[in-house]
Amino acid sequence: MDTHPVEVSRLLALVAALFFGALIGVERELRRHQAGMHTNALVSLGAALYVLAATLVGDPTAAARVAGQVVTGVGFLCAGVILHEGGSVRGINTAATVWCSSAVGVLAGLGLVLWAALATLLVLAANLVLHAVAHALSARQASDER
């Protein structure tokens, strides 16, 4: 028998995890990368669900232990996203984004929704702003080599 009633704050944390993961995934979708909105939303929600489940068992260390296992498990998932093609490697940024989505989910699952929102903004900033900076630097380097 379930002794834990559904609490609105925990339900909102799960919805936040789903929303934040989807938001991170939208950027990937718009750039036509692997692991888009659906994948990032599910990874974030799954991480939040596992951590939330751990908080419900009454062991004060369970959530931290489960969060550590989420990191490891999603790391294996991300390894499947990375492709080696000839002399280049593709998918590392997508894998890192999925890994970060799991961190967002862990934060939300712990009830730290504002931290999860901040982390989401930082992931988006890294993928948008740093992507533009990296391309500008590459273009500059290419023109300097000519």
Side-chain angles (χ1 to χ4, degrees):
M1 184 168 159
D2 183 15
T3 60
H4 299 283
V6 175
E7 298 171 25
V8 173
S9 63
R10 288 183 173 170
L11 181 61
L12 290 176
L14 292 177
V15 171
L18 181 69
F19 174 75
F20 294 149
L23 192 60
I24 290 168
V26 165
E27 179 272 332
R28 306 310 292 165
E29 291 279 344
L30 292 175
R31 293 180 187 270
R32 300 195 193 293
H33 288 287
Q34 307 170 26
M37 182 173 60
H38 186 213
T39 301
N40 281 281
L42 286 174
V43 166
S44 183
L45 177 61
L49 286 167
Y50 279 115
V51 172
L52 174 61
T55 64
L56 296 174
V57 298
D59 178 354
T61 64
R65 286 184 284 121
V66 168
Q69 294 302 314
V70 167
V71 171
T72 303
V74 174
F76 279 108
L77 178 68
C78 291
V81 174
I82 299 171
L83 303 172
H84 179 64
E85 295 176 351
S88 67
V89 177
R90 296 185 49 207
I92 293 177
N93 190 339
T94 298
T97 300
V98 169
W99 197 52
C100 288
S101 289
S102 72
V104 167
V106 166
L107 289 167
L110 289 171
L112 304 171
V113 176
L114 291 178
W115 282 103
L118 176 62
T120 300
L121 292 175
L122 290 172
V123 171
L124 289 171
N127 279 345
L128 295 170
V129 175
L130 295 180
H131 176 79
V133 170
H135 277 283
L137 290 173
S138 293
R140 181 178 176 158
Q141 182 181 16
S143 69
D144 286 348
E145 291 175 357
R146 293 180 199 179

